[in-house]
Amino acid sequence: MIFEILLLVAALSVDSLAAAVSYGLAKIKIGFTRSLLISIICSMFLVFSAAFAGVIGAYIDEGITKTVSFLILFVIGIIKLMEKDKSERPETLSASKTVLFAVSMSVDGLAAGFGAGLTAEDNLWAVGAAACIITFLTVFLGNIAGLKVNKKAPAVMQKLGGVAIIAVGVCKLI
């Protein structure tokens, strides 16, 4: 059961990792506190949906969660593409964008949580703890990696970060 929980959380965290690297490439810094907030929100979505799988699972279509996630990431990516090149110093992710990032990463957790909820009811604490830790690590370290790559890359890399954010959104539709 623990292996299944870790596998589920790792699968959900791949999107967070890709998005966090993309933000770093776009010269957007996700600091420690923001990474922690994102991981808490993502974990809460997952645990909530696992806990109430039987009750609300029938009301939310997986296609809706994918579409909402895509739309949020697509809009963020377009905004990044339209911005002028930034200075050498990366901007810090704002509080509102932190919540949008967390929600866009969490909607997949809703659908996955419904499936996991049917078998993980007795282990919700383990699901929440694993999700919080792994998501924090993928967001925080992935963003640092993206920022480091961007430091050594030409200014066009910021635009590629916006394209990468859109690509993560498109992947959510697939």
Side-chain angles (χ1 to χ4, degrees):
M1 181 54 121
I2 296 297
F3 178 72
E4 291 174 14
I5 291 169
L6 290 175
L7 192 59
L8 169 69
V9 173
L12 292 172
S13 295
V14 169
D15 285 345
S16 298
L17 175 65
V21 170
S22 299
Y23 272 61
L25 291 173
K27 282 199 175 179
I28 299 172
K29 181 180 179 181
I30 305 173
F32 182 89
T33 305
R34 303 273 195 232
S35 297
L36 186 59
L37 178 61
I38 290 166
S39 67
I40 290 169
I41 291 171
C42 290
S43 301
M44 287 174 35
F45 269 74
L46 180 62
V47 170
F48 172 80
S49 65
F52 296 103
V55 178
I56 57 178
Y59 298 108
I60 299 179
D61 181 47
E62 184 179 341
I64 292 172
T65 63
K66 287 181 177 185
T67 302
V68 168
S69 185
F70 162 75
L71 290 172
I72 291 170
L73 291 170
F74 184 80
V75 168
I76 292 170
I78 293 295
I79 290 168
K80 293 286 107 204
L81 283 174
M82 298 176 87
E83 286 181 345
K84 294 181 179 179
D85 289 342
K86 297 177 184 146
S87 66
E88 289 300 312
R89 188 167 176 247
E91 76 176 71
T92 301
L93 193 63
S94 69
S96 60
K97 287 182 182 176
T98 298
V99 172
L100 277 175
F101 178 94
V103 169
S104 70
M105 294 297 106
S106 297
V107 291
D108 279 351
L110 283 174
F114 295 137
L118 301 175
T119 59
E121 287 180 16
D122 296 333
N123 296 306
L124 288 179
W125 66 270
V127 171
C132 195
I133 292 166
I134 292 173
T135 302
F136 171 79
L137 291 172
T138 58
V139 170
F140 188 70
L141 298 176
N143 185 247
I144 289 172
L147 288 167
K148 288 202 181 288
V149 167
N150 194 315
K151 276 185 181 177
K152 297 178 175 145
V156 72
M157 192 62 92
Q158 292 175 30
K159 300 293 183 197
L160 291 177
V163 171
I165 292 169
I166 293 170
V168 171
V170 169
C171 288
K172 288 187 166 290
L173 285 175
I174 299 173

